[in-house]
Amino acid sequence: MSVTRILLLLLSAVTFLAGCSLMMDGLKWADPDGSTDADTDTDIDTDSDTDIDTDTDTDTDTDTDTDTDTGPGEWCDTDFGLCWENPPSSATMNWDAAVAYCVGLDPGGGDDWSIPNIDELRTLIRTCAQTGPGGDCQVTDGSDDSDWGGFCAGCSTSGGDGSGGCYWHPDLSGDCIPYWSSSHYPNPSFENAWYIDFTDAKLNAAAKTLTWSSVRCVRPESGGDTDTDIDSGTGTDASVD
């Protein structure tokens, strides 16, 4: 065989082997589906939501109402500078019990409630001019029977502007019955005191032992301690400090 022929055969073999090598490299890096696209999807989850509840609402109750007991309800008459228990006691009682009842009222630690004298009690009368404050009835604190007259007999029954026809302000409540005053009515036989029946706005006097009257306690509008000397009719004063 000639040298030329041998060289041609060797060149053919080398060329064949190089082609096989390139073919094998192509099969190694090709995707099974024939796609040569490199997968560059990194799909890194960068969601940093940690769902931290930053709600700082502590539902603090800022209600400052203390529901303090302020004692009895009251109605204040600015014309006369007096505040009245409203409603008054619903019980009937004798005069001594009425005095003790008013002394016993203790709204907010104060001690300025007392049983009204007849002059104070008359300021409650409405729509009966003859027995109202400044009316023709001459009964006042310290009066005796000489000051009582026809003008003190009041007005028609249940004709007032108050609830049930009472002769007091419409804002007042309570039973329309007689109410004690602290004012003593001099009598040699009985210990009497003046009262007002608000059914007809009549002023009269009755024995202190009777139990068919009630009491509506009073205090100064400005509050504060008051010294109200209540004449018991026995020569000594029942002092309400």
Side-chain angles (χ1 to χ4, degrees), residues 16 31 50 58 83 103 128 146 161 186 200 208 214 221 228 233:
F16 175 79
D31 286 341
T50 57
T58 58
C83 290
V103 172
C128 187
S146 64
D161 290 339
D200 52 12
K208 294 180 180 179
S214 189
E221 186 179 15
T228 304

Side-chain angles (χ1 to χ4, degrees), residues 160-206:
D161 290 339
S163 176
C166 288
Y167 283 90
W168 56 40
H169 194 283
D171 289 343
L172 290 173
S173 58
D175 295 328
C176 203
I177 58 175
Y179 285 80
W180 287 114
S181 80
S182 65
S183 301
H184 173 68
Y185 170 87
N187 187 300
S189 301
F190 301 98
E191 291 185 17
N192 290 353
W194 291 104
Y195 70 86
I196 295 177
D197 187 343
F198 285 91
T199 303
D200 52 12
K202 178 175 64 180
L203 276 71
N204 211 336

